[in-house]
Amino acid sequence: MIFRGVTLLLCIVCPAHCLLEQNTQTKNETKDELLESGATHSAAIEELRKKIDEIVKELNALKEVHALQLVCLKGIKVPGKCFLASPVKKNFYDATDDCILKGGSLGTPVTGNENYQLYVYVHETIGPREQIWLGINDMLKEGEWVDKSGSRIRFQNWETEVTRQPVGGRSQNCAFMSVIDSGKWFDENCRAVKAFVSLKTKHGF
C-alpha cells in the first residue's frame, strides 16, 4: 500500500518537476532571444545614427561651399575683391555673423585704394549718407585696433581734422565708415545698428 502511494506520488511529482524545468528553460530561451533582439535593435539604431551624422556633415559642407560663393555671386567684383552690401541695419556682432554665413567678413579696407572702392560701392548701392560697420575693434586693448584675426591694422583712415577720431574711449570699441564724410572712419558703440558690407577675397572665382 505504501509502495503504491510512493509510486503515485512520484508519478505526480516527476511530471511537475519536468514541466517546471521545461518552463524555466523556455523562459531562459525567451529572455536570451529578447536580449539578442534588443542588441540587434540597438546596433541598427547606432548604425542609423552614424548614417544621419554623415548626411548632416555632407549637407553642412555643401552649405559652406555655397556660402563661400555667395558674396562673389551676388555682390560686385572689384580688383581682387567682392563686395556684397546689406542695407538691413544690425549691431556689430550680428553683422559679423551675417558676413561669415555669407562666406565673407566685414569690409575692412587694407589700402587707400580699397577704402575708396568700398566707399564708392556703398555710396552707389546703399546711399550717400550711409554708415557701414568696419571689421575692426579695440575691445581687448583700448586704442589698439585689430582686424578679425587679431592682427593690428596697418592702414587707417580716421577722421582727424574735425573730431580727431577715435575719441570714444572704452564705450566705443567698434568702427564704421561714413559715406557722407568721404569714407572716413569713426569709432562707435558696438551695440549701435548700422548697414554693412560683406567682403570676400577672390580666390578661385
Side-chain angles (χ1 to χ4, degrees), residues 44-157:
I45 291 176
E46 187 61 29
E47 185 65 26
L48 185 59
R49 283 177 180 168
K50 288 181 180 179
K51 289 182 179 179
I52 291 174
D53 288 342
E54 290 175 1
I55 292 172
V56 170
K57 287 179 181 179
E58 290 178 3
L59 182 61
N60 288 336
L62 289 173
K63 285 182 179 179
E64 185 176 350
V65 170
H66 174 70
L68 289 174
Q69 298 178 11
L70 187 59
V71 174
C72 284
L73 288 175
K74 291 191 173 183
I76 186 171
K77 297 176 180 63
V78 297
K81 304 281 182 179
C82 299
F83 293 140
L84 179 60
S86 178
V88 178
K89 293 178 171 59
K90 297 184 178 183
N91 64 44
F92 174 81
Y93 308 102
D94 291 339
T96 298
D97 291 342
D98 190 280
C99 290
I100 292 172
L101 286 174
K102 291 173 180 172
S105 59
L106 273 179
T108 309
V110 294
T111 65
N113 182 53
E114 192 169 292
N115 193 85
Y116 177 75
Q117 290 175 343
L118 183 58
Y119 154 72
V120 171
Y121 174 65
V122 175
H123 186 282
E124 294 176 351
T125 57
I126 306 180
R129 306 181 67 85
E130 200 54 77
Q131 299 173 347
I132 62 161
W133 284 120
L134 296 173
I136 60 175
N137 68 83
D138 68 341
M139 297 178 191
L140 293 180
K141 185 177 180 180
E142 179 61 30
E144 187 172 300
W145 292 86
V146 298
D147 60 20
K148 64 176 182 177
S149 69
S151 301
R152 295 186 66 172
I153 59 172
R154 296 182 179 180
F155 171 76
Q156 302 180 34
N157 195 43

